[in-house]
């Protein structure tokens, strides 16, 4: 699968999910309730995105999306 097949909003949502998860996992996180609610909202958006109806292997595509979002996050941080 070509990573350019992912819609921008899906990649951005996955990147936001990663950032929220990291913030929640950080020691002494403030406002964990809000972070948990955001993580749940982002999880629902990721899970039910219409893109998943167009791919033959959803588990593989989800894995590639997570990898892509982590890679883009590392590039932005550099």
């Amino acid at each position: 699968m070509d990573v350019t097949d992912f819609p921008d909003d899906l990649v951005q949502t996955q990147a936001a999910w990663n950032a929220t998860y990291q913030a929640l996992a950080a020691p002494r996180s403030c406002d964990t309730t809000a972070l948990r609610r955001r993580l749940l909202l982002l999880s629902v958006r990721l899970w039910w995105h219409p893109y998943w109806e167009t791919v033959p292997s959803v588990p593989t595509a989800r894995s590639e999306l997570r990898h892509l979002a982590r890679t883009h996050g590392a590039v932005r941080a550099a």
Side-chain angles (χ1 to χ4, degrees):
M1 168 184 278
D2 185 11
V3 293
T4 59
D5 289 338
F6 292 116
D8 288 338
D9 67 321
L10 187 58
V11 175
Q12 291 171 358
T13 302
Q14 181 66 55
W17 189 96
N18 291 348
T20 304
Y21 186 86
Q22 289 175 350
L24 188 58
R28 299 183 187 177
S29 296
C30 58
D31 203 7
T32 57
T33 301
L35 289 172
R36 288 180 182 179
R37 287 180 180 155
R38 177 155 173 76
L39 196 63
L40 182 58
L41 174 69
L42 293 168
S43 296
V44 169
R45 287 182 184 168
L46 284 169
W47 187 261
W48 294 108
H49 195 280
Y51 173 77
W52 303 122
E53 296 175 12
T54 67
V55 294
S57 177
V58 174
T60 301
R62 287 185 193 276
S63 178
E64 289 185 19
L65 174 64
R66 287 190 297 269
H67 177 71
L68 177 66
R70 278 192 300 264
T71 303
H72 279 301
V75 169
R76 286 185 195 154

